[in-house]
Amino acid sequence: YFLSILNEIEGVHLNGSLDTSIPYVLNLWFEGVDRGEVLVHMLEEENLFVSTGSACHSKRDNPSHVLKAMGKDGEALYGAIRVSFSVQTTKEEAARGAEIIKEKVREYREFKGGL
């Protein structure tokens, strides 16, 4: 459900595969978003908490070694965010999170000069 809403955003990409990814964790990047940490802070303002890397590397400024190994670079490497869910996350919470991400990606792109 979350991904169906995000698919309404032009230029959204899933890093990895739903078939091989860990349940409840998605790594995404959006064309035109070149600094994931800026998007993270924009989302925090709406009480939506995501990250730019894995939990075990959350204090590091380096881009994800996993994304590097996947051959990602540029926006896909530096603009990626990680969205985690819980078994307690409701459909309504996921939908609201997706809507917030849509709005903040739009604002980011407008600020940067569009997609």
Side-chain angles (χ1 to χ4, degrees), residues 57-71:
H57 291 97
S58 64
K59 300 295 183 203
R60 297 184 186 167
D61 290 333
N62 300 334
S64 166
H65 68 281
V66 174
L67 293 180
K68 281 185 175 180
M70 292 171 64

Side-chain angles (χ1 to χ4, degrees), residues 56-101:
C56 58
H57 291 97
S58 64
K59 300 295 183 203
R60 297 184 186 167
D61 290 333
N62 300 334
S64 166
H65 68 281
V66 174
L67 293 180
K68 281 185 175 180
M70 292 171 64
K72 305 295 182 182
D73 61 7
E75 289 179 352
L77 183 59
Y78 291 95
I81 62 168
R82 181 178 54 95
V83 180
S84 301
F85 301 90
S86 148
V87 294
Q88 297 175 335
T89 303
T90 66
K91 183 177 179 179
E92 292 77 17
E93 290 169 332
R96 178 70 181 129
E99 292 295 337
I100 291 169
I101 290 172

Side-chain angles (χ1 to χ4, degrees), residues 12-79:
V12 62
H13 301 273
L14 174 66
N15 287 319
S17 165
L18 291 177
D19 296 328
T20 59
S21 66
I22 297 171
Y24 306 114
V25 178
L26 298 172
N27 190 286
L28 307 164
W29 72 277
F30 306 89
E31 294 174 21
V33 176
D34 57 354
R35 303 304 305 166
E37 70 272 4
V38 174
L39 182 57
V40 166
H41 293 301
M42 292 172 74
L43 295 170
E44 285 173 356
E45 293 175 354
E46 300 296 325
N47 291 317
L48 181 63
F49 300 97
V50 301
S51 70
T52 57
S54 66
C56 58
H57 291 97
S58 64
K59 300 295 183 203
R60 297 184 186 167
D61 290 333
N62 300 334
S64 166
H65 68 281
V66 174
L67 293 180
K68 281 185 175 180
M70 292 171 64
K72 305 295 182 182
D73 61 7
E75 289 179 352
L77 183 59
Y78 291 95

